[in-house]
Amino acid sequence: MENRIPFLDFGPMHDPIREEIDAALLRVSHSDYYIRGAEVEAFERAFADYIGVKHCVGVGNGLDAIQLILRAMDIGPGDEVIVPSNTYIATALAASFIGATPVFVEPVLETAEIDPDRIEEKITSSTKAICVVHLQGRPCDMDPIRKIAEKHHLRLMEDCAQAHGAMYKGRKTGALSEAGAFSFYPGKNLGALGDAGAVVTDDAALADKVRYLANYGSDVKYHHIYKGVNSRLDEMQAAVLTVKLPYLDGWNADRVRIAEKYRALITAPQVAQPLPPDADHQPVYHVYGIRVPDGKRNALAAYLKEQGIDTIMHYPTPMHLQGAYADLNLPKGALPLAEEFSATELSIPIYYGMTDEQVKRVADAVNAFFA
Ligand SMILES: *Cc1c(COP(=O)(O)O)cnc(C)c1O
């Protein structure tokens, strides 16, 4: 359809900076230096400063960033890691890949974030860490979660893959715990032109260990102190990310504008919308996930498709009902809130440069479906 509204359009974001991006790519191409060089160093410095922490280590992707933090915290086989029941599967897989067991804690319906009041009941003698996820770009309520971690002597980390630039009580996500894991998958709020990720932390020893683990466990060339992996950020992606980083706040502000518009224009009482920013929470709306009850979600998605509007469900099957986690023996009904999200959530388009007219068309179509 001519006037299709895509779920995400890179054009408005990339078109004005194509020359800057191309120049960065050309610079790397002509440097004949492609892995972990000056470009990676420059981006690591810039991103650490942006988040407000001392250290940033560029890695291969977001999944690796989470895994590497957990490994650097000496978490492994036999250990349990608390994660939200409603997140992208990468959060849980990161724990699984290092031999630990993910333990799912249900979210708060209104925020989609892990419910601090449900964490303690899942803590056992094997629990070693909590990995929160700032899902949809809304920062979790970190104060009560930090108190629980301290009380039970648990390590605390953040999966920030959807929350670049989001703030909780004046501090950026990634700076709210011992370490933050970022993904720069192209569709994230800050995205590379391929796979990329980063770990941010104030802890110099943790940063060093992540850096070594991500490079075959090597501290000095051909000297291996850990059984590490290969998960390095490359110069091309780092150069692109350095070009894009200064624009991130402006891009995020535009998402906030669009969210505000949706909140005003979607009037169908059947639709629950993401919470607005408040004094403590400045979300960056990586996605705008509405909730549609009573079995109407799939029909709404189909209707919007007919109207030329693309949507995505985050996520159609909760992790505990995936074949990958059949071994956890969590049957349907075991995590009702995660299941409720899977059955009712629908993410409608939100991206930098979406016009008022496009936002109105989406909102009108949602309202019309329920009229
Ligand atoms: C995207 C995402 C990841 C994984 O990032 P990759 O770079 O694709 O590995 C992890 N957690 C969450 C919440 C994500 O949205």
Side-chain angles (χ1 to χ4, degrees):
M1 186 191 277
E2 182 73 26
N3 276 324
R4 204 174 63 90
I5 300 178
F7 183 72
L8 168 63
D9 184 356
F10 286 111
M13 184 168 50
H14 285 169
D15 285 344
I17 58 168
R18 292 266 179 221
E19 283 181 20
E20 272 185 271
I21 291 174
D22 291 350
L25 292 172
L26 214 61
R27 183 171 73 235
V28 174
S29 161
H30 286 248
S31 77
D32 288 340
Y33 199 96
Y34 305 115
I35 299 274
R36 272 195 174 182
E39 300 284 352
V40 168
E41 232 172 81
F43 173 69
E44 288 177 342
R45 189 66 264 139
F47 197 63
D49 290 346
Y50 175 79
I51 298 298
V53 295
K54 293 199 187 98
H55 310 282
C56 170
V57 182
V59 299
N61 55 63
L63 170 65
D64 285 354
I66 307 166
Q67 281 192 69
L68 288 162
I69 292 170
L70 291 172
R71 262 194 87 182
M73 289 174 166
D74 291 319
I75 290 155
D79 296 336
E80 292 177 0
V81 179
I82 286 178
V83 301
S85 60
N86 178 45
T87 175
Y88 184 54
I89 195 168
T91 321
L93 285 178
S96 300
F97 281 164
I98 59 165
T101 303
V103 173
F104 299 128
V105 169
E106 290 270 74
V108 176
L109 212 48
E110 290 69 31
T111 64
E113 307 294 355
I114 192 167
D115 186 345
D117 291 336
R118 292 171 189 260
I119 291 176
E120 275 191 298
E121 66 199 48
K122 293 294 181 85
I123 294 174
T124 72
S125 57
S126 300
T127 309
K128 289 286 151 48
I130 301 172
C131 178
V132 302
V133 182
H134 306 296
L135 201 73
Q136 302 188 348
R138 185 180 196 276
C140 295
D141 278 312
M142 292 305 288
D143 283 354
I145 296 171
R146 194 178 303 107
K147 277 205 191 86
I148 293 165
E150 280 165 9
K151 180 176 157 199
H152 296 271
H153 307 289
L154 304 178
R155 310 300 297 263
L156 178 59
M157 66 162 292
E158 302 155 75
D159 175 345
C160 307
Q162 302 191 0
H164 315 67
M167 306 238 275
Y168 173 74
K169 298 193 172 177
R171 296 211 74 189
K172 295 227 171 73
T173 60
L176 302 167
S177 68
E178 293 179 67
F182 282 88
S183 163
F184 305 117
Y185 179 82
K188 308 294 189 186
N189 286 34
L190 178 63
L193 303 185
D195 277 314
V199 169
V200 297
T201 181
D202 273 325
D203 181 337
L206 191 78
D208 280 345
K209 191 162 177 189
V210 166
R211 193 179 294 282
Y212 304 153
L213 283 170
N215 189 25
Y216 292 105
S218 169
D219 55 347
V220 176
K221 202 170 173 72
Y222 301 130
H223 188 253
H224 304 268
I225 52 179
Y226 307 113
K227 294 187 188 75
V229 297
N230 176 0
S231 183
R232 298 173 298 221
L233 179 61
D234 68 69
E235 292 281 282
M236 288 270 184
Q237 301 306 342
V240 170
L241 289 166
T242 300
V243 168
K244 291 180 72 173
L245 180 58
Y247 300 98
L248 176 59
D249 284 343
W251 294 335
N252 282 342
D254 207 44
R255 288 172 181 267
V256 173
R257 168 190 69 87
I258 294 161
E260 240 162 62
K261 278 231 134 48
Y262 273 143
R263 211 169 290 117
L265 293 174
I266 297 176
T267 49
Q270 295 91 335
V271 174
Q273 300 192 57
L275 294 180
D278 59 42
D280 290 345
H281 308 81
Q282 269 88 51
V284 292
Y285 300 101
H286 172 60
V287 299
Y288 197 79
I290 60 174
R291 279 180 298 116
V292 182
D294 305 331
K296 294 273 173 55
R297 189 268 314 267
N298 292 0
L300 173 61
Y303 175 79
L304 292 176
K305 184 104 210 158
E306 264 169 41
Q307 307 298 310
I309 297 162
D310 290 345
T311 59
I312 296 184
M313 296 163 194
H314 292 107
Y315 297 92
T317 305
M319 293 178 293
H320 68 286
L321 300 180
Q322 300 277 1
Y325 279 119
D327 58 335
L328 293 179
N329 286 314
L330 292 166
K332 202 166 165 56
L335 296 164
L337 291 178
E339 292 168 29
E340 161 119 12
F341 269 100
S342 288
T344 60
E345 197 272 357
L346 188 67
S347 301
I348 56 179
I350 188 165
Y351 51 84
Y352 172 76
M354 206 179 161
T355 65
D356 285 352
E357 188 234 319
Q358 286 174 314
V359 178
K360 185 166 183 320
R361 233 185 84 200
V362 175
D364 286 350
V366 171
N367 293 332
F369 173 79
F370 288 103

